[in-house]
Amino acid sequence: MTPKISQFLAEKQPATPCLVVDVDAVEERYRALQAALPLARIYYAVKANPARPILDRLVSLGSSFDAASWEEIEMCLDAGARGEDISFGNTVKKVSAIRCAWEAGVRLFVFDSEEELDKIARHAPGSRVYCRLLVDNYGAEWPLSRKFGTTVESARELMLRARDLGLDPYGLSFHVGSQQIETDSYEMAISRVAALVSDLSAAGLDLRMVNLGGGFPIRYREDVPDIDTFGEAISVAMRKHFGNALPEMLVEPGRFIAGAAGVVSAEVVLVSKRGREDGPRWVYLDIGRFGGLAETEGEAIRYAIRTARDGEETGPVALAGPTCDGADILYERSPYALPLSLESGDRIELLNAGAYVSTYCSTRFNGFAPLAEHYI
Amino acid sequence: MTPKISQFLAEKQPATPCLVVDVDAVEERYRALQAALPLARIYYAVKANPARPILDRLVSLGSSFDAASWEEIEMCLDAGARGEDISFGNTVKKVSAIRCAWEAGVRLFVFDSEEELDKIARHAPGSRVYCRLLVDNYGAEWPLSRKFGTTVESARELMLRARDLGLDPYGLSFHVGSQQIETDSYEMAISRVAALVSDLSAAGLDLRMVNLGGGFPIRYREDVPDIDTFGEAISVAMRKHFGNALPEMLVEPGRFIAGAAGVVSAEVVLVSKRGREDGPRWVYLDIGRFGGLAETEGEAIRYAIRTARDGEETGPVALAGPTCDGADILYERSPYALPLSLESGDRIELLNAGAYVSTYCSTRFNGFAPLAEHYI
């Protein structure tokens, strides 16, 4: 938690649940990534947190943007980004969205299938396209591999088809999975990409870009390798596989930029043993899986939790949200321990929760209003 | 799909994705449940679908309401329900919510723990309270048992404590789990409740109410027992265990009332093999787990799907939503087959999808607007 967020929470005591993001911390993270990968162009993954103050700051820093929908493209344009700074990075796009994007000056589109490529050729003629490769997501706490990406053989065929369709066959992308803690994953993916680039070059097609995706991890409860470690591993792998013919590099960080810049402030609604003396205490918060903490599904993302009673004796707890839904349980198997004196009305904080929270939250499940947001 | 919904979709071709609910069908379901359980008072579980036209219709029919939050209570009051028609049915309530409810005339509160009971005693003095018992959720497609309910021993102690705290120890509740397809579950739960009622009576405390919860199933892809079968099983069990001293009975249907009254209309955004000839086709829709279909988590609720090409030759598919999230997969293991000719731009319908859709949907994940709703 940054000093600015601590001070804001202490002085304002905002109604809970709410998300508080330090926009200066967003800038720090952007600069840290830039320093770690000076040759890469940063396309902020808007989906991680599309709040206007974040987009404004990133526009002022010269960032580019990775958008998942026409609506996200509009948000970037509204914040002052130009069409040419935006990548339409969803492999699944409605025709109407492709058309709107093209009319707004977006010229960079991803695909991983023939039908999508044909849609882009027809509705965004002449655009730069890149093909998403299927890569192993081993090591990622929030994997993405089953749904996206195609095989090397198919990517080869589709890039040649892209040329035949009058598109600009610009490059290749992959995504090692979100909250990826293994640098190896990037190295393996880069070697696959390089082999295909070389193969296509022999076929007369010179690709100029590699999109390394995102996935850079942040600290939740455990330490993760720092961004310089990833930067170094990626640079070494790129040089090893591409030599002096380095292609343009793109990265699409979301969690890395917004995650560590934010805190969720919540309240304990109930502490209960519910008649089972041998079980853990159940601690119910005023935010749960449907109030924004969607990434606790399967207990994948395990937020660090701070209470005002830290330092006192603790005991094991299960943590759940405030809705009547049995699936609204945050942590039951992951070992969490909280102060024994914790009670209804206590405030708690979930740290490094600036990404993938505000937009996941439900419109009004169980009647609860969407998560309040403060950008400071 | 009701004729009214078919006609609306055909004539209006509303933009997708959207939910279309036939409010007359809501009324039919309410009446069918009333006929199956004539002695029970119906508390509609607002969380299933809190849309104003549904609440209005149910108020006009004399329904009572099961609310999960102060916000849901307000919705009921706005629709003309009286405080005395509302049960605050969430075992996890903020003090501020209890206070607002009490001031609005709500006098019926659930609890399953000592801390919650004490909160109710302090902030809703003299109210009727009922204790939620932990029961087996075997047979439910959307179980609720780990998070809610207490043991028989603890319930006994808490009901006596309720009296000592000046509350009205009114009854007991249980929930067999949502989309429960086994009538046995109700019978087992009723026998547990009856034993505790009898035990407390011996201790000088006469309970007057049994809340049977909800959970009544609707047809998705498979047939389910009809509501009369549940009504009969419940009536038989109640008579067996309570004899002539039948307590008041409450039921809290949500899915049963709203589910079968609605259809989700969606569009195919992409059909793709993504380079793997041996795998299924992937069909990407413009609605997924974060656009409202949250109950497809773990492929728990398996909606029946209708296309305009039904009758043509089919092949296996995996179904996914439109976001860049790898978790946004609807069905990958459940065997779904759709027409081989299906393509981008085709409209499809998810049947019996009127419950637990509109409110689960995210505020704007990946930039997508919340699900549009039409009540006809």
Side-chain angles (χ1 to χ4, degrees):
Chain A
M1 178 151 41
T2 71
K4 221 164 74 172
I5 296 178
S6 294
Q7 193 185 347
F8 177 85
L9 289 174
E11 288 178 3
K12 307 276 180 181
Q13 300 265 328
T16 63
C18 68
L19 171 67
V20 186
V21 174
D22 180 346
V23 184
D24 294 333
V26 168
E27 175 167 344
E28 278 163 34
R29 303 290 286 184
Y30 178 87
R31 292 189 188 281
L33 180 58
Q34 219 172 22
L37 276 169
L39 296 180
R41 191 163 168 200
I42 298 175
Y43 282 71
Y44 172 63
V46 178
K47 68 181 91 59
N49 188 328
R52 181 62 185 268
I54 291 180
L55 300 183
D56 283 345
R57 182 65 66 96
L58 291 173
V59 166
S60 78
L61 294 168
S63 181
S64 297
F65 297 91
D66 164 46
S69 62
W70 162 243
E71 291 80 356
E72 283 194 355
I73 292 171
E74 272 189 305
M75 295 177 200
C76 296
L77 296 171
D78 287 349
R82 299 165 306 172
E84 64 200 81
D85 300 328
I86 298 169
S87 165
F88 201 158
N90 191 337
T91 55
V92 181
K93 297 176 284 296
K94 280 195 175 182
V95 161
S96 57
I98 296 172
R99 228 183 267 145
C100 289
W102 195 79
E103 279 162 20
V106 175
R107 292 293 179 271
L108 183 56
F109 295 83
V110 72
F111 69 94
D112 67 2
S113 68
E114 184 175 327
E115 193 182 60
E116 190 72 10
L117 181 62
D118 291 352
K119 279 154 62 179
I120 298 167
R122 186 163 324 127
H123 302 286
S127 290
R128 289 176 167 182
V129 290
Y130 60 99
C131 184
R132 179 160 170 174
L133 284 177
L134 187 63
V135 298
D136 194 358
N137 272 207
Y138 173 81
E141 294 185 355
W142 195 260
L144 304 165
S145 69
R146 296 194 335 267
K147 187 176 166 186
F148 306 110
T150 191
T151 59
V152 169
E153 299 68 35
S154 149
R156 181 181 190 281
E157 206 174 295
L158 292 172
M159 289 308 281
L160 292 167
R161 180 181 176 87
R163 180 180 58 185
D164 296 343
L165 290 168
L167 291 163
D168 176 359
Y170 184 44
L172 298 169
S173 78
F174 59 84
H175 203 300
V176 294
S178 196
Q179 186 67 6
Q180 174 58 260
I181 56 174
E182 303 286 346
T183 56
D184 285 4
S185 319
Y186 290 94
E187 297 175 26
M188 284 187 294
I190 288 167
S191 93
R192 274 172 82 87
V193 165
L196 178 54
V197 167
S198 152
D199 184 26
L200 277 168
S201 175
L205 188 67
D206 288 315
L207 306 187
R208 290 117 62 207
M209 184 276 282
V210 174
N211 179 337
L212 302 154
F216 308 114
I218 63 173
R219 194 185 194 293
Y220 290 109
R221 297 214 299 173
E222 283 96 37
D223 281 328
V224 294
D226 65 25
I227 194 62
D228 293 330
T229 307
F230 284 95
E232 180 63 18
I234 288 170
S235 302
V236 166
M238 289 296 290
R239 262 176 270 127
K240 175 175 163 196
H241 293 288
F242 288 95
N244 288 328
L246 271 189
E248 292 173 50
M249 282 187 277
L250 270 55
V251 286
E252 296 169 341
R255 187 187 307 280
F256 182 81
I257 301 280
V263 164
V264 164
S265 176
E267 191 181 299
V268 173
V269 184
L270 180 66
V271 180
S272 147
K273 302 264 318 181
R274 298 200 354 260
R276 291 171 292 191
E277 287 309 318
D278 53 336
R281 287 171 300 153
W282 278 71
V283 174
Y284 299 87
L285 306 178
D286 61 1
I287 184 169
R289 283 190 49 207
F290 304 106
L293 306 179
E295 290 197 319
T296 58
E297 178 181 340
E299 310 196 9
I301 297 295
R302 292 177 293 279
Y303 294 101
I305 294 178
R306 184 177 291 182
T307 80
R309 302 178 193 267
D310 288 353
E312 296 183 21
E313 196 186 345
T314 64
V317 295
L319 283 150
T323 68
C324 290
D325 193 320
D328 188 13
I329 294 174
L330 304 175
Y331 306 114
E332 203 182 357
R333 301 184 312 273
S334 305
Y336 271 80
L338 289 175
L340 294 173
S341 58
L342 201 71
E343 62 179 19
S344 171
D346 281 9
R347 290 183 81 113
I348 67 144
E349 281 109 37
L350 289 86
L351 308 184
N352 292 352
Y356 298 112
V357 168
S358 56
T359 53
Y360 265 121
C361 117
S362 77
T363 51
R364 50 171 178 168
F365 187 53
N366 273 220
F368 296 115
L371 188 64
E373 301 172 56
H374 306 281
Y375 294 85
I376 60 174
Chain B
M1 177 151 41
T2 71
K4 220 163 76 171
I5 295 178
S6 294
Q7 194 185 348
F8 177 85
L9 289 174
E11 288 178 3
K12 306 277 181 182
Q13 299 266 327
T16 64
C18 68
L19 172 67
V20 186
V21 174
D22 180 345
V23 183
D24 294 333
V26 168
E27 176 168 343
E28 277 163 35
R29 303 292 286 184
Y30 178 87
R31 292 190 189 281
L33 181 58
Q34 219 171 20
L37 276 168
L39 296 180
R41 191 164 168 199
I42 298 175
Y43 282 71
Y44 172 64
V46 178
K47 66 181 94 62
N49 188 328
R52 182 63 184 268
I54 291 180
L55 300 183
D56 283 345
R57 180 66 65 96
L58 291 173
V59 166
S60 78
L61 293 168
S63 181
S64 297
F65 297 90
D66 163 46
S69 63
W70 163 242
E71 291 81 357
E72 283 193 354
I73 292 171
E74 273 188 304
M75 294 177 201
C76 296
L77 297 171
D78 287 348
R82 299 165 305 172
E84 64 202 80
D85 300 327
I86 298 169
S87 165
F88 200 157
N90 190 336
T91 55
V92 180
K93 297 175 283 297
K94 279 195 176 183
V95 160
S96 57
I98 295 172
R99 227 183 268 145
C100 289
W102 195 79
E103 279 161 20
V106 176
R107 293 291 179 273
L108 183 56
F109 295 83
V110 72
F111 68 94
D112 67 2
S113 67
E114 184 176 329
E115 193 182 60
E116 191 72 8
L117 181 62
D118 292 352
K119 280 154 61 180
I120 298 168
R122 186 163 323 126
H123 302 287
S127 291
R128 290 177 167 182
V129 291
Y130 60 99
C131 185
R132 179 160 170 173
L133 285 177
L134 187 63
V135 297
D136 194 0
N137 271 206
Y138 173 81
E141 295 186 354
W142 194 261
L144 304 165
S145 69
R146 297 192 337 264
K147 187 176 166 187
F148 306 109
T150 190
T151 59
V152 168
E153 299 69 34
S154 149
R156 182 182 190 283
E157 206 173 295
L158 292 172
M159 289 309 281
L160 292 168
R161 182 183 175 86
R163 180 180 57 183
D164 296 342
L165 290 169
L167 291 163
D168 177 359
Y170 184 44
L172 298 169
S173 78
F174 59 84
H175 203 299
V176 294
S178 195
Q179 185 66 5
Q180 173 57 261
I181 56 173
E182 304 285 347
T183 56
D184 285 4
S185 319
Y186 289 94
E187 297 176 26
M188 285 187 294
I190 288 167
S191 94
R192 274 171 83 88
V193 165
L196 178 54
V197 167
S198 151
D199 184 26
L200 277 168
S201 176
L205 188 66
D206 288 314
L207 306 187
R208 290 117 61 207
M209 184 275 284
V210 174
N211 179 336
L212 302 154
F216 307 114
I218 62 173
R219 193 186 195 291
Y220 290 109
R221 296 214 298 172
E222 283 96 37
D223 281 328
V224 295
D226 65 25
I227 193 63
D228 294 329
T229 307
F230 283 97
E232 180 63 18
I234 288 170
S235 302
V236 167
M238 288 296 291
R239 262 177 270 128
K240 175 175 164 195
H241 292 288
F242 288 95
N244 288 327
L246 271 189
E248 293 173 49
M249 282 187 277
L250 269 56
V251 286
E252 296 169 341
R255 187 187 308 280
F256 182 81
I257 301 281
V263 163
V264 164
S265 176
E267 190 180 300
V268 174
V269 184
L270 179 66
V271 181
S272 146
K273 302 262 322 180
R274 296 192 2 253
R276 291 172 294 192
E277 287 309 317
D278 53 336
R281 286 170 301 152
W282 279 70
V283 174
Y284 300 87
L285 306 178
D286 60 1
I287 184 170
R289 282 191 49 207
F290 304 106
L293 307 178
E295 290 196 319
T296 58
E297 179 181 340
E299 311 196 8
I301 297 294
R302 291 177 294 278
Y303 295 101
I305 294 178
R306 183 176 291 182
T307 80
R309 302 178 192 266
D310 288 354
E312 297 183 20
E313 195 186 346
T314 64
V317 294
L319 282 149
T323 68
C324 290
D325 193 319
D328 187 11
I329 295 174
L330 304 174
Y331 306 114
E332 204 183 355
R333 301 184 312 274
S334 305
Y336 271 81
L338 289 175
L340 294 172
S341 58
L342 201 71
E343 61 179 18
S344 172
D346 281 8
R347 289 183 83 115
I348 67 143
E349 282 108 36
L350 289 86
L351 307 184
N352 291 354
Y356 298 112
V357 169
S358 56
T359 53
Y360 264 123
C361 118
S362 78
T363 51
R364 50 171 177 168
F365 187 54
N366 273 220
F368 297 114
L371 188 64
E373 300 170 59
H374 307 281
Y375 294 85
I376 60 175

